Amino acid sequence: MRRRTVLGAAAAAGAGLGLAACDSGPATHAATSAESVHASPASAANATARENAKPGASDWRMTHQGAAEAVEGYADQASLRPGQKLTLRVSTTAPGFTVSAYRVGWYGGDQARLVWKSGRIAGHRQPPPQIVDATRTVQSQWKPSLTVDTTGWPEGAYLLRLDAENHANRAQRWIPLVVRSASAEGKVLVMHGTATWQAYNTWGGTSLYQGADGSYDARALKVSFDRPYDDNGAVKFLVYERALVVLAERLGLPLAYTTGIDVHTDPSILSGATAVLSLGHDEYWTPEQRGYVTKARDTGTNVAFLGANTCFRRIRIEDAGRTVVCYKTDYRDDPVYWTDRVLTTTDFRSGPAPDPESSMTGVFYEGYPTDAPYVVHQADHWLFAGTGVKAGDSFAHLIGVEYDRVTPSAPTPRPIEILAHSPLVCNGNHSHSDTAYYTARSGAGVFASGTMRWVEGLMAGGHDDYDDHGMDARTARFVTRTTENLLTAFALGPAANHRPAPQDNLQDVYGSGA
């Protein structure tokens, strides 16, 4: 919800996953080593398996981030279709650099495949960013460094690694990219939270959380994709999304890829999807995106919320998707406030047009920060099959750093089943985090983990270069098996058609007032 530092973020770029088998002008570079996958829904799972049978790249991980100005860059699109051209703008103090495009997947445990690599590109420093006074928006007006032809790139989540040439110990930085699908018919749709990535980005001095002086009052009201990401360039993706992509690809599920902004722009991607996956930190949604996902649920598409604080902020997209707008507590200064209160950018649950996220997610965001054990409540639920858990079993540190709970006083779909009910303390207040499951009238199943560490849990235990918050390998096995159960079931279509209906236990958990 608020700005925070993700510990070990740079190292997370190189973390393994605890997944059980259980010259100075622009240059144009064409893809040379990838195959395009154009599969019908019936063969989509085989297409995933074929892609992941290709040789992986064990050396994809970043080994040396280097100084902030050593090398950094951004793309002119956060997502694109295979075959479209991508322009990269890079600034470096090195005489040259290369770009390597890695597609994230399983690949026999390597977890990425080199799809394309550039030749040497001459390096130069780009001018400092500008800040638009009225909205405190950081904008970079960098010249193009190279243009990449993505013909033949398979759909999926990508990390583009910038490698500075023999300079500052070969400094490196990421540029994240989604090569999005044209259709999700018969597939599980992975929906990346690019608006949230940008909301927290402090590169150039401001984010939607803080200004150049670090204060909330000096924060940006609009943030632009026309700038690099801070830190290693892909913190939000690496910590909250990558592990789920690796798991889904390992399972060989029929997969499609998109972003929340693309759902806002073209909701047809939702048509016929068996499931939509919202990942570990997916806080910023437009009301249109929310409406489209809700409509998909109401026509039989399963939905999984694999984090917490999901769909908390109501935003607006401007400049053909390159600007994210959220006035938050200053919503009366939002020009739209005077013309359309429903589109005013603030929290969904707040005025002038309150619409809490819980009517869609089943859970209600409650707080930050916390750190607590995850406590199983309904051990016999089908989602926990094969985990061996019993009621009361706990998994240390799996609840955090933000959490949701089923809140009877908020709009809540019924019947709803609380699967885990985890006591916690947040800012001195005693409460609970809840994992919940319900089915819509369409038969669609809806799962909410209730914790922001769910996807992180897939990486827990045994990785010295990853800050797993104290979570262990036992936790990784539990989260992995539960997520496998969820994904394989949701890939089959409306969950009510093949899985038991939820047994409403809200009153049992929260008392007669529920």
Side-chain angles (χ1 to χ4, degrees), residues 239-445:
V239 173
Y240 295 114
E241 302 189 3
R242 184 181 76 91
L244 189 282
V245 172
V246 172
L247 175 59
E249 295 255 336
R250 177 175 68 76
L251 292 173
L253 300 174
L255 298 174
Y257 288 87
T258 193
T259 74
I261 291 176
D262 289 309
V263 169
H264 163 91
T265 303
D266 182 10
S268 67
I269 187 61
L270 297 167
S271 179
T274 57
V276 178
L277 308 182
S278 167
L279 306 180
H281 193 179
D282 194 10
E283 181 177 347
Y284 287 76
W285 292 45
T286 67
E288 293 90 344
Q289 178 192 356
R290 176 177 173 177
Y292 296 143
V293 171
T294 300
K295 182 178 179 180
R297 176 203 66 182
D298 293 345
T299 54
T301 296
N302 302 305
V303 187
F305 300 103
L306 300 171
N309 191 216
T310 301
C311 195
F312 184 74
R313 308 286 191 185
R314 181 194 287 119
I315 62 171
R316 184 167 63 255
I317 302 300
E318 296 180 346
D319 304 323
R322 298 298 289 174
T323 300
V324 177
V325 182
C326 193
Y327 279 70
K328 296 185 178 178
T329 51
D330 292 324
Y331 63 83
R332 289 182 178 85
D333 294 332
D334 185 345
V336 175
Y337 176 75
W338 301 105
T339 58
D340 193 336
R341 299 291 173 91
V342 173
L343 297 180
T344 302
T345 60
T346 183
D347 301 344
F348 270 105
R349 64 184 59 179
S350 301
D355 185 14
E357 74 280 3
S358 56
S359 64
M360 176 182 67
T361 63
V363 292
F364 189 81
Y365 174 70
E366 192 165 272
Y368 157 89
T370 194
D371 181 279
Y374 181 97
V375 180
V376 174
H377 185 69
Q378 294 289 88
D380 60 349
H381 195 273
W382 62 265
L383 278 163
F384 295 146
T387 63
V389 296
K390 302 181 297 296
D393 282 357
S394 64
F395 297 86
H397 309 292
L398 182 53
I399 301 301
V401 61
E402 304 188 41
Y403 71 96
D404 303 329
R405 75 178 181 94
V406 178
T407 304
S409 61
T412 304
R414 304 289 291 270
I416 192 166
E417 190 167 8
I418 295 173
L419 312 183
H421 187 56
S422 308
L424 57 84
V425 178
C426 182
N427 295 316
N429 299 313
H430 292 261
S431 189
H432 290 81
S433 165
D434 293 325
T435 294
Y437 177 77
Y438 75 90
T439 55
R441 290 183 179 179
S442 65

Side-chain angles (χ1 to χ4, degrees), residues 35-39 51 80-82 103-104 107 152-158 178-184 187 249 255-258 269:
E35 294 180 26
S36 180
V37 176
H38 300 287
E51 170 62 29
L80 80 175
R81 290 278 299 120
R103 183 185 183 276
V104 176
Y107 301 108
W153 291 27
E155 302 160 358
Y158 283 72
V178 176
V179 178
R180 66 181 185 269
S181 305
S183 170
K187 302 177 183 179
E249 295 255 336
L255 298 174
Y257 288 87
T258 193
I269 187 61

Side-chain angles (χ1 to χ4, degrees), residues 116-200:
W116 170 87
K117 185 173 182 177
S118 75
R120 177 188 183 274
I121 308 298
H124 62 279
R125 291 293 302 275
Q126 300 269 16
Q130 299 177 346
I131 298 181
V132 179
D133 290 339
T135 58
R136 300 179 287 277
T137 305
V138 175
Q139 292 181 333
S140 294
Q141 297 179 349
W142 289 2
K143 295 180 179 179
S145 301
L146 70 157
T147 298
V148 182
D149 182 353
T150 65
T151 298
W153 291 27
E155 302 160 358
Y158 283 72
L159 288 166
L160 277 56
R161 194 181 71 199
L162 306 177
D163 289 271
E165 175 186 85
N166 298 321
H167 177 78
N169 296 318
R170 291 184 60 83
Q172 300 169 313
R173 206 69 93 249
W174 296 117
I175 298 176
L177 176 70
V178 176
V179 178
R180 66 181 185 269
S181 305
S183 170
E185 180 78 31
K187 302 177 183 179
V188 174
L189 180 62
V190 181
M191 183 174 64
H192 295 278
T194 53
T196 301
W197 302 355
Q198 197 55 250
Y200 283 85

Side-chain angles (χ1 to χ4, degrees), residues 32-67:
T32 59
S33 60
E35 294 180 26
S36 180
V37 176
H38 300 287
S40 67
S43 63
N46 288 335
T48 302
R50 287 196 302 271
E51 170 62 29
N52 281 274
K54 296 175 182 178
S58 60
D59 60 349
W60 69 268
R61 294 172 173 84
M62 186 189 298
T63 57
H64 185 75
Q65 184 170 320

